[in-house]
Amino acid sequence: MEDAREVAVAKLAEILKHPDDLNTKVGALARKIAKEKAIIDAQLNTGVQTQLDNVQGGLETLAISRESTHKIKDNMQLIDRLCLEAQSLIGDFPRIAKISRIHQNFVATQQKVQALQELYQRLKDLEDMFAPMQQDIFMYDSPLLHVHYHLFKLEEFRDKTMHQARESPHDVIITLKTYFRRLDVLSDDFTQYLWQLTRNLIPLVERDCGPTIVKLIKIIEVEEEADEKALAARQAQTSHQDLHGQKGWRLAEGNPRTIKSYRVEFFEQLHQSLVERFAEQLAPYRESEDWSGALDTTDFIFNDLELVYDEIVPKFPKKYKIYPYFVLEYHRHTYEFLNQVVTQDLDAGTILRLLRFVRDYYSTMSTRLGVTEELLEPQLLDGQEQSLVDEYLKLVRTKLVEWTSNIMSAESKDFIQRNQPPEMSPDGQYGMTRAVDMFQIINQQIDVAAEANQGKLLYLVVNECHKVMKDSQSFWKKLLASEKRWQLEEPETAPGGFVEYVMAMSNDQIKCADFAEEILNRILPMVEGKYKAQVQEKLTTAVDGYMQIAASGRDALLEVTYNDLRPVFQELFTPRWYEQPLIPSVIETLKDYCQDFAAHLNEFLFNKLIDDILDRFIMFFLEAMRHKNAKFHMGVCLDKIQKDVHMSFNFFAKYKPMEVLEERFDVIDKVHTLLESNRRMIFVDYYSLRQAYPDVPLAFVEDVLSKRDDLDKAALKDIIEGIKAKAREYEPDSDTPPTIFSRIKW
C-alpha cells in the first residue's frame, strides 16, 4: 500500500511541476484518470466474469466425471457378481478350472524353461550387433531399433520372471539374479550408449547421422509408454487394495517393470552435455583469464542454435519443445558465464566489451534466431548494465593504483637490492622496462575511454592517470633521495650498482615524459572544448614532473662522481700537490665516469650532466684555493696551475665546443691572473674579475691573496684595503644574473 502511495505521489510530482498547474491541469487530469479508470474497471469486470464462467464449467465437468466413475464401478461389481453366480450353474466347474490352471501353468513353465535355455544365445546375438555400435556412435544406419526391440523383450522376460519368483527361497532368487547378470550388463551398456548419443546430438547432426537421433527418440517414446502402463498398473494396485488376491483381478497385482523415466534422463543428459560444451569452448580462456577472448568465441552459441532449429527440431515430437529448451539452456549458461566474468578482476576495456556483448547478444538472438529479449530469462547481467557503467571509473582508479603499485614495488626492489645489472637496450642505454609497462596500462585505459566518445569520461580517466603519474614521481623522488644519502654517507655498506641504476631510472623518466607528451598530442583533439585546457594542464604537469625526477637522477650522478673526487680536490695547492700531480687522477676518474655516462645515459641527460660536471669541476677548483692548508708558492704554483687547467680543458674539449669551454674556464683564468699580479697591477686585475663576476666574494679574493708566499702582512693589508675601496666604488646592476660564485657555498 505504501509503495502504491509513493508511486502515486511521484507521478503527481512529475505531472504537476509548477503551482499554476493546479489551476490549469487538475480538471483535465481528473477527467483523463476517470476515463482510464472506467476502461480498466470494465476490463476487470469482463475478466472476472469469464473466470467465473470457466470455474463453473469446470465444476460441472467434475460432477459429471464423478457420476460416470460411480456408474462404471457399479457395472464392474455387477459383472463380477454375475461371473461368480455363473460358476455354480456349471457342473464340476472347480475341477475344470483347476485342470485349466494346471495346463496353463504347465505351458507357461515349458515356455519359461525354453526362454531360459535360449537366453544366452539371444544375448550373444545382441552383443555381436551392439559391439560395433559401441565403438562408433557415428555408425551410419546402425541396427539400434532392432537391438532395443529384442533387449526390451528380454528385460520384460527378466522382470516378469523375478516378479513371479519373489516369494521363492532366497537361493532360488540368487540363482536367477546370477543367470540374468549378463542381461543386466548389456542393458546398462545399452542405456549408457543411448545417453552417449544424447550428449552428442549436435555432433551427430554435423556428421549426417540424423536417422540415429530419430531412432533414439523412438526408443525413448517406447520406454515412456511402457513406464506409463506400469505406473497405471501400480496406481490400480494402490487404489484397489480390497481386490488384491482375488481371482481374475490381475491388474491389482501391479506391473513388475522397473520405471526408467528415459525422457527425464534424456533432458538431464542433454543438460549435462551443454554444460560440457560451454566448458570445452570457454576452458582455454578461463585458464588464461582472457575474458575478452571468451566473449569473442561465443559465436558458437548462435551457430549451434541455428543448427538445432534447422536439423534437430524436425526430428523431435512437438511435445518435447526441443528448440525452446535449447534456447533457454544456452541462454542460462550464457547468463552464468557472464555472472562469472563480472566477478573477475576485469579491466575497463573488458567491461565495455562485456556491455557491448550483451547488446549484440540480444540483437543477434532477435534478428538471426527470431527469439525476442522478453523470452530470454533471466536477464543477462540481471539488468545491471548501467551499474557497470557507473563502476567503470572506480575500476579504472582501483586497477591503475594496483598495477602501478605492483610495478613500483618490483622496480624499487630491483633499485634497492641491485643484485643484477639493469637491462640494456640495443643502443646501450640502461633501463628498467617497467616504465613501458606502466604507460601501456595508462594508454589502454585512455584508449578505452576515448572509444566511449564521452569527453567528460575521457577527462576523468586522464585525471586518474595523472594521479598515478604524480604518485610514481613522488615515489621515485623519495627513493632516490634515500638511496643517494646511503651511497654518499656509507658507501662501504651500500649495494653496488648505484650509478648504473640511477642512469636506468633517469632514462626511464625521460621515456615517461615522452610517453606523457605523446598521449597529450594524441588525445587533445578528441577532448571536448570545456575539458581541453584541463587535460592539457594535467598532462603538461606530468611531463614536467618526469623531467624534474630525471634532473634529480642527474644530480645524484654528479654527487656520486664528485664524492669520489672531493678528497683529491681538498689536497690541491697543499704540499702534496707540489710533490706530485693530482689533477691527472681527477681527470682519469672523470674519464671513467663520463665514458659510462656517454655509453648508457640518454643523450639529452648526458649533455646536461657534462655541463654540471664542468661547473662542479670549476667550483671545486676555486674552493680548493681557500682551503686552510693551501699555499701558493709563486715560483712554482703558477706553472702547475696552468698545466692542470690545460689538462682539464683538453678533457672537457671532447664533450663541449671550444667557445663554451673558453667561457666556462674564463673565471679560472681571471683568478690565475689575479694570483700572478704584482702589487701595482693587482687592483686592475681585481677590477677585471669584479666586472666579469660581480658576485665574487671579497673574502675569496682576500683568502687567495693571503696564501701567496711573496706578500708580507703589511703589503697584503695595503692591497686588501685598496681592493675594498675599489669594491665600494663598483656597484653592479640589480638585474645582473648570478655567476658561478653564487653557487659556491662559502
Side-chain angles (χ1 to χ4, degrees), residues 311-328:
E311 300 294 339
I312 295 181
V313 170
K315 297 172 175 58
F316 275 76
K318 290 184 178 180
K319 64 181 179 180
Y320 278 68
K321 299 180 180 179
I322 197 66
Y323 186 61
Y325 176 84
F326 267 95
V327 169
L328 290 179

Side-chain angles (χ1 to χ4, degrees), residues 621-679:
F621 198 89
L622 295 174
E623 286 177 336
M625 292 182 173
R626 295 189 63 197
H627 195 271
K628 62 182 180 179
N629 295 326
K631 193 71 176 176
F632 296 111
H633 300 295
M634 300 308 294
V636 182
C637 71
L638 295 177
D639 289 339
K640 286 183 67 66
I641 292 174
Q642 195 72 31
K643 290 178 181 179
D644 288 347
V645 171
H646 182 71
M647 179 181 292
S648 304
F649 189 94
N650 289 339
F651 167 72
F652 285 107
K654 298 176 183 178
Y655 305 106
K656 305 299 294 183
M658 296 295 293
E659 58 272 15
V660 173
L661 289 179
E662 289 173 354
E663 179 183 350
R664 299 289 185 87
F665 275 90
D666 175 71
V667 64
I668 295 179
D669 290 340
K670 282 185 167 50
V671 172
H672 184 271
T673 301
L674 179 67
L675 192 61
E676 67 179 356
S677 293
N678 56 42
R679 296 179 184 181

Side-chain angles (χ1 to χ4, degrees), residues 6 155 184 190 211 222 239 255 262 277 297 324 342 404 406 476 535 547 550 586 590 603 620 643 744:
E6 291 177 2
E155 288 175 345
D184 294 341
F190 185 78
V222 169
S239 302
N255 188 301
Y262 268 19
R277 178 153 180 78
T297 198
V342 169
T404 53
N406 292 338
W476 278 115
V535 168
M547 296 303 296
V586 172
L590 289 177
E603 183 179 1
F620 270 35
K643 290 178 181 179
I744 300 175

Side-chain angles (χ1 to χ4, degrees), residues 477-535:
K477 184 177 180 180
K478 293 177 182 178
L479 181 60
L480 178 61
S482 172
E483 290 298 306
K484 183 178 78 171
R485 185 166 53 251
W486 187 10
Q487 184 71 27
L488 295 178
E489 295 176 359
E490 301 179 34
E492 65 280 354
T493 63
F498 178 74
V499 170
E500 288 78 6
Y501 268 88
V502 171
M503 284 193 283
M505 184 276 296
S506 302
N507 290 339
D508 281 357
Q509 299 304 307
I510 295 295
K511 288 180 184 177
C512 290
D514 292 340
F515 288 146
E517 190 169 10
E518 187 274 332
I519 291 174
L520 173 62
N521 295 332
R522 179 165 55 87
I523 70 169
L524 202 58
M526 308 179 193
V527 183
E528 293 179 5
K530 61 181 179 180
Y531 299 112
K532 195 180 291 290
Q534 294 166 294
V535 168

Side-chain angles (χ1 to χ4, degrees), residues 385-408:
E385 292 90 338
Q386 188 58 45
S387 298
L388 278 176
V389 173
D390 295 338
E391 288 293 319
Y392 174 75
L393 279 177
K394 180 180 178 181
L395 180 60
V396 169
R397 183 182 308 115
T398 302
K399 288 303 174 185
L400 278 174
V401 171
E402 177 185 345
W403 287 330
T404 53
S405 296
N406 292 338
I407 288 173
M408 288 189 289

Side-chain angles (χ1 to χ4, degrees), residues 61-75:
T61 302
L62 287 173
I64 294 172
S65 300
R66 185 177 181 182
E67 183 179 351
S68 299
T69 302
H70 284 305
K71 286 182 179 180
I72 293 172
K73 184 177 179 181
D74 293 341
N75 290 335

